[in-house]
Structure formats: C-alpha cells, structure tokens
Amino acid sequence: MPDCFPLFQIGIVTFFLSSVLDNLTSTIVMVSLIRKLVPPSEYRKLLGGVVVIAANAGGAWTPIGDVTTTMLWIHGQITTLKIMQGLFIPSVVSLAVPLALMSLTSEANGSSQKSSSFLSSEKMAPRGKLVLAVGVGALVFVPAFKALTGLPPYMGMLLGLGILWILTDAIHYGEPERQTLKVPQALSRIDTQGILFFLGILLSVGSLQHISFIHLFFSIATSLESAGILRQLANYLDANIPNADLIASAIGVVSAVVDNVPLVAAAMGMYDLTSYPQDSDFWQLVAFCAGTGGSMLIIGSAAGVAFMGMEKVDFFWYIRKVSGFAFAGYAAGIACYLATQNLDLSLPTSLAAIPFISGS
C-alpha cells in the first residue's frame, strides 16, 4: 500500500462528507478524527491541510455544502441539478491536483510510515452509526423537502433536527451518563457568534436595496454599499474586465483574504438575474471560486480558521506547506470548468430522474 494512501483517503472522505454536511462541520469532524489517530507531527498538520482543501472543494458542488452555494441556491441564482452537474468534475480536479502534488513531497511519503494506526479506526457503537446515518440523511433530505413542498430549506433543517432530537432522547432514555449525547446538549455548544455574523451579513445586504448609502465591514477588508453603488461597481468591472470568467475568478482569489459570504452577497447585489440568468456559467463559476478560493490562505475559509484553531497551525506554515498546492488546485479547477463547458461535459443528465436533484 502506498505511503501516501492516508492522504488520499482523508481527502476523498472529507470531500464527500462536506458535500452533504458543510465544509466547517466536515473539517471539525475530520480534524478531530486525525487528532485521535495520528500523533502530533508535521504529517498530521499536512493531513489537516488536505482536510481544508477537500472540505472547500466538496462543499462547492452541492447547494448545502457551503454557505455561499446555499445563498445562491436560496436566492435562485443556481438550481440543485445544474450546480451538481456543472461543478462536480471541477471540484474533483481542484482536490485531485493538490493531492497528487502533495503525494510527491517528502512529508507525505516519509512521515506516513509512522501513522500506520491511522488505517485502523475504532469501531463506532451501533447507536452512534444510527445517529450519524439519520443526521446525514436529514441533511441530504433538505433539497428534496424544498422541491416537494416548496417551503424554505430552513424548515426542512428544523424537521430533521426534530427527528434527530426524538431519536437521541429515545435511545439514551434512562441513561444519565449519556445525557451529553442528546440534542439539547449539542445545541448548547453551537457557535452562536458565527451564526450571528452570517445573519448580520445577510441582513446588511438586504438593507442595501432600501438605503441610499451604507458602508459596512471594512474591518474584513470589504465594503458593501447601496444598490446603486454596487451597480456602478458592476458597470466598472464590466468595462475594465469584460470577461465574466475573470471577474468570477477574481472573486475566488479575493476570498482567500476576505470572507466569501460578503463577497458573494456583493456579487448578488451587483448582478441580478437579468444580467446573468439562473444557472448561467457566471453564477456557477462564482459558486466554485468563492468556495475553493478560500483554501489558498488559512484565514480564507471557515474550514481553515477551524483547522488553525484546533491544531494551532501558524499562518506562515500554511503558506509554505499548503497554499501553493491549493492555488494549483484552484487554477486547475477553473480550467477544468471552462473546458467542460466548452466540451459540454458534466454529470449524466439521468440524475434528473432523482426527485430531489431535479428540483430547484
């Protein structure tokens, strides 16, 4: 078995886990797993870097995998089937390229020999498997819920939470020592500050349609102004960067420094559906670039910040060891997307037969 096999194993698992959960949750889960199985070392940090790249790549091709794709999905810029068809292959490429390059490094080939225990993870209790399956199933069910009922996605999430709540209460009934495994205790550990941050961003962007001038959040190196100012900025970009692909690619590069939520919100304010229709190449490329561009710096995504906090990774260590690989994957993913659009390559359209995928 190749020494670098754990590198690919972690990347692939994180990629698909992030597509049905979200990149932040997937990063926390996978980094926690790595911390339990791999002793502290440069190799463990490298695996964490793979988790960040894979989580952001995996979250870019589904409407529930990343905050920005969810925003675009809810507001009608993208639909479930088209975003999965258009971005799956580029997302795979944006992960495969960094993994292939990392596998050639001495850190990946030398240190992995010390981590043979990585491949033999502990068995999960049967009840744990049930809770995990129901939780992931509830998240995957959200697009189906929206397509079947027409209700907002958050109601599907609340329905799934209610089912999970009933399940955990039932399986841990009469076991005081397992009270921490129930939903109420899990809810008490929610990152409330992060939720309020995203809520504030979305509320502020919504106010742009009604306020003549507003200046927001230069502390995170961006400003969102009134709808008229955003329109002028869009006209300026169109005049100086006539290629929409370059604009979307630039959004991804900037998202490595600035949080991608206000960036995508600003793009939604600058360009409406009359400028770029639903499921146009521009919106799909914005979703991809904003999702994967944050991997280039550790501060560029929620996944990177979580990894930095959990592993106490230095900002410059990430630049030296991971940023170059992440940029190579980002550039390769964009090139792949443009090539697939020109060659009309995507996931099979037969996926439309699946009920929740065919809905918007």
Side-chain angles (χ1 to χ4, degrees):
M1 183 177 294
D3 292 337
C4 59
F5 179 77
L7 205 71
F8 288 89
Q9 188 180 48
I10 278 288
I12 293 171
V13 171
T14 306
F15 179 85
F16 287 103
L17 186 64
S18 179
S19 67
V20 295
L21 297 177
D22 66 82
N23 50 11
L24 177 58
T25 304
S26 301
T27 299
I28 294 173
V29 170
M30 295 305 295
V31 171
S32 299
L33 179 64
I34 292 172
R35 286 167 61 87
K36 190 172 184 180
L37 299 176
V38 182
S41 61
E42 285 290 302
Y43 181 63
R44 191 170 86 174
K45 291 182 180 180
L46 191 65
L47 287 177
V50 170
V51 168
V52 173
I53 295 174
N56 289 330
W61 66 279
T62 65
I64 59 174
D66 185 81
V67 175
T68 52
T69 53
T70 302
M71 288 168 55
L72 293 168
W73 175 52
I74 290 175
H75 288 85
Q77 276 80 8
I78 60 175
T79 58
T80 305
L81 173 63
K82 292 297 184 180
I83 195 69
M84 294 177 70
Q85 281 185 313
L87 295 188
F88 177 74
I89 296 176
S91 296
V92 170
V93 170
S94 71
L95 173 63
V97 169
L99 287 181
L101 295 176
M102 284 182 175
S103 67
L104 302 176
T105 63
S106 57
E107 290 92 341
N109 287 289
S111 301
S112 61
Q113 295 178 352
K114 303 176 183 178
S115 306
S116 58
S117 61
F118 168 80
L119 297 175
S120 56
S121 58
E122 296 182 2
K123 292 184 178 180
M124 184 185 298
R127 289 184 293 184
K129 294 179 181 179
L130 176 61
V131 173
L132 176 63
V134 172
V136 173
L139 290 168
V140 175
F141 174 71
V142 171
F145 177 87
K146 181 179 182 292
L148 294 173
T149 66
L151 295 173
Y154 78 87
M155 296 190 70
M157 294 293 290
L158 290 177
L159 175 62
L161 177 63
I163 294 173
L164 201 61
W165 194 322
I166 294 172
L167 175 64
T168 56
D169 277 3
I171 64 177
H172 298 307
Y173 179 77
E175 299 178 350
E177 71 280 2
R178 290 181 171 267
Q179 295 304 305
T180 56
L181 301 178
K182 293 185 178 181
V183 168
Q185 280 67 33
L187 292 176
S188 68
R189 298 190 293 270
I190 285 179
D191 181 14
T192 307
Q193 292 182 346
I195 293 176
L196 293 177
F197 168 76
F198 291 127
L199 177 62
I201 289 287
L202 297 176
L203 289 176
S204 299
V205 171
S207 70
L208 301 183
Q209 301 174 358
H210 308 288
I211 302 176
S212 59
F213 179 86
I214 202 166
H215 193 94
L216 298 172
F217 300 116
F218 218 94
S219 60
I220 55 173
T222 188
S223 76
L224 297 176
E225 299 179 348
S226 68
I229 300 298
L230 290 177
R231 185 67 258 174
Q232 292 178 21
L233 178 57
N235 293 336
Y236 175 82
L237 291 175
D238 291 338
N240 293 274
I241 311 178
N243 190 322
D245 296 335
L246 290 178
I247 295 175
S249 301
I251 290 175
V253 174
V254 176
S255 73
V257 181
V258 180
D259 189 89
N260 57 3
V261 172
L263 278 178
V264 172
M268 292 165 60
M270 289 189 294
Y271 302 104
D272 54 25
L273 292 177
T274 59
S275 302
Y276 296 102
Q278 186 181 63
D279 290 323
S280 64
D281 291 351
F282 175 75
W283 292 121
Q284 290 193 10
L285 198 55
V286 165
F288 174 80
C289 292
T292 59
S295 300
M296 289 185 282
L297 291 178
I298 197 169
I299 61 172
S301 65
V305 172
F307 168 55
M308 180 170 60
M310 295 177 71
E311 282 291 281
K312 303 298 185 290
V313 174
D314 183 75
F315 176 82
F316 294 102
W317 179 92
Y318 190 91
I319 292 179
R320 293 194 310 270
K321 300 293 186 178
V322 181
S323 292
F325 300 120
F327 176 76
Y330 176 75
I334 293 175
C336 177
Y337 176 79
L338 298 177
T340 55
Q341 295 307 304
N342 291 331
L343 297 176
D344 197 23
L345 297 176
S346 63
L347 285 180
T349 54
S350 59
L351 286 176
I354 302 176
F356 83 87
I357 292 183
S358 60
S360 60

